[in-house]
Amino acid sequence: KASAELHPNFLVGLFLRDIFHAFDELVGKHGLEKIKTIGDAYMVVGGLDHSDGEKTNQRRRSSMSMDHATELPTHGDLGDHHHPTSIMLLALDMFHELTRINKKYNLNFSLRIGIHKGPVVAGVLGLKRFTYDVWGDSVNTASRMESNGVPNLIHLSSDMYQAVDALTNDFEFTCCGKIQVKGKGEMTTYLARPLR
């Protein structure tokens, strides 16, 4: 909707540039990795072990997907309890940054976030314009959490919820029960509402 209503020079040249720049800094602050942007989508991962490819492919991960009002999905991927916590705190900081940037430009965009925990494969493909990427059902599930999510809330798979349910000082968790998820069937999911 925003791409039809806002001039492309403003949308890309100022608004998305400011958001992605701020998000890049937050990703570094939380020790995570930005994988790519696709349009207004922003993909983040954590818990990848670059020192040993075999270990990377076998470790447990969490995937995160975020969506902006113009759809700012962010997929992410995490390992142990440290990484799921980092992804949740990144999400919290992203909400705050979007609020700041909305005020700066007098806009009212929202952020929708989806997170899942599970295994992924990471690597580089191609001969030209090399692209580092992550693949796997966990990334797809995170994307489904985002697309079935609610603006200004974080939609969690039950695997991710179990990894972060102790963060009750930062989030209020609500069980959504079983929902139908495209390509996955029924899944029990949770919503996390930021408390600060």
Side-chain angles (χ1 to χ4, degrees):
K1 180 179 173 186
S3 59
E5 294 176 4
L6 299 173
H7 192 280
N9 288 344
F10 170 77
L11 184 63
V12 176
L14 293 175
F15 185 67
L16 288 178
R17 181 203 64 201
D18 282 4
I19 289 172
F20 289 164
H21 178 83
F23 286 5
D24 284 353
E25 289 182 354
L26 292 174
V27 167
K29 169 186 164 188
H30 289 285
L32 303 168
E33 293 181 58
K34 173 183 169 185
I35 296 297
K36 61 184 171 183
T37 58
I38 307 167
D40 56 5
Y42 187 93
M43 180 186 249
V44 174
V45 303
L48 297 178
D49 180 356
H50 297 291
S51 63
D52 180 351
E54 189 63 28
K55 187 187 264 184
T56 299
N57 295 340
Q58 292 176 357
R59 287 183 58 193
R60 294 287 297 168
R61 305 282 184 253
S62 307
S63 296
M64 171 178 179
S65 178
M66 298 189 179
D67 183 48
H68 213 203
T70 50
E71 295 194 18
L72 178 59
T74 305
H75 306 249
D77 172 36
L78 313 173
D80 58 23
H81 270 5
H82 166 75
H83 292 103
T85 298
S86 294
I87 278 285
M88 293 295 288
L89 296 178
L90 169 66
L92 187 62
D93 284 350
M94 287 176 148
F95 282 125
H96 295 155
E97 276 303 307
L98 181 61
T99 298
R100 182 186 66 78
I101 293 169
N102 271 335
K103 286 180 183 174
K104 176 179 177 180
Y105 292 111
N106 196 28
L107 295 170
N108 191 27
F109 284 90
S110 61
L111 190 64
R112 191 171 59 201
I113 300 171
I115 307 176
H116 173 66
K117 181 174 174 50
V120 300
V121 174
V124 177
L125 292 179
L127 297 173
K128 295 182 178 181
R129 292 191 177 196
F130 300 110
T131 303
Y132 181 77
D133 209 344
V134 291
W135 304 271
D137 187 57
S138 296
V139 176
N140 297 333
T141 302
S143 181
R144 297 293 184 244
M145 292 298 99
E146 176 272 313
S147 62
N148 286 283
V150 178
N152 300 317
L153 297 177
I154 304 166
H155 194 199
L156 306 173
S157 69
S158 104
D159 289 338
M160 184 62 181
Y161 169 72
Q162 291 171 18
V164 299
D165 64 347
L167 297 176
T168 55
N169 288 334
D170 297 306
F171 302 95
E172 176 186 3
F173 297 101
T174 305
C175 182
C176 302
K178 290 187 182 290
I179 65 165
Q180 197 65 31
V181 178
K182 181 180 175 184
K184 302 293 295 176
E186 279 192 346
M187 291 183 69
T188 299
T189 65
Y190 296 81
L191 288 175
R193 179 184 307 278
L195 294 178
R196 57 180 174 95

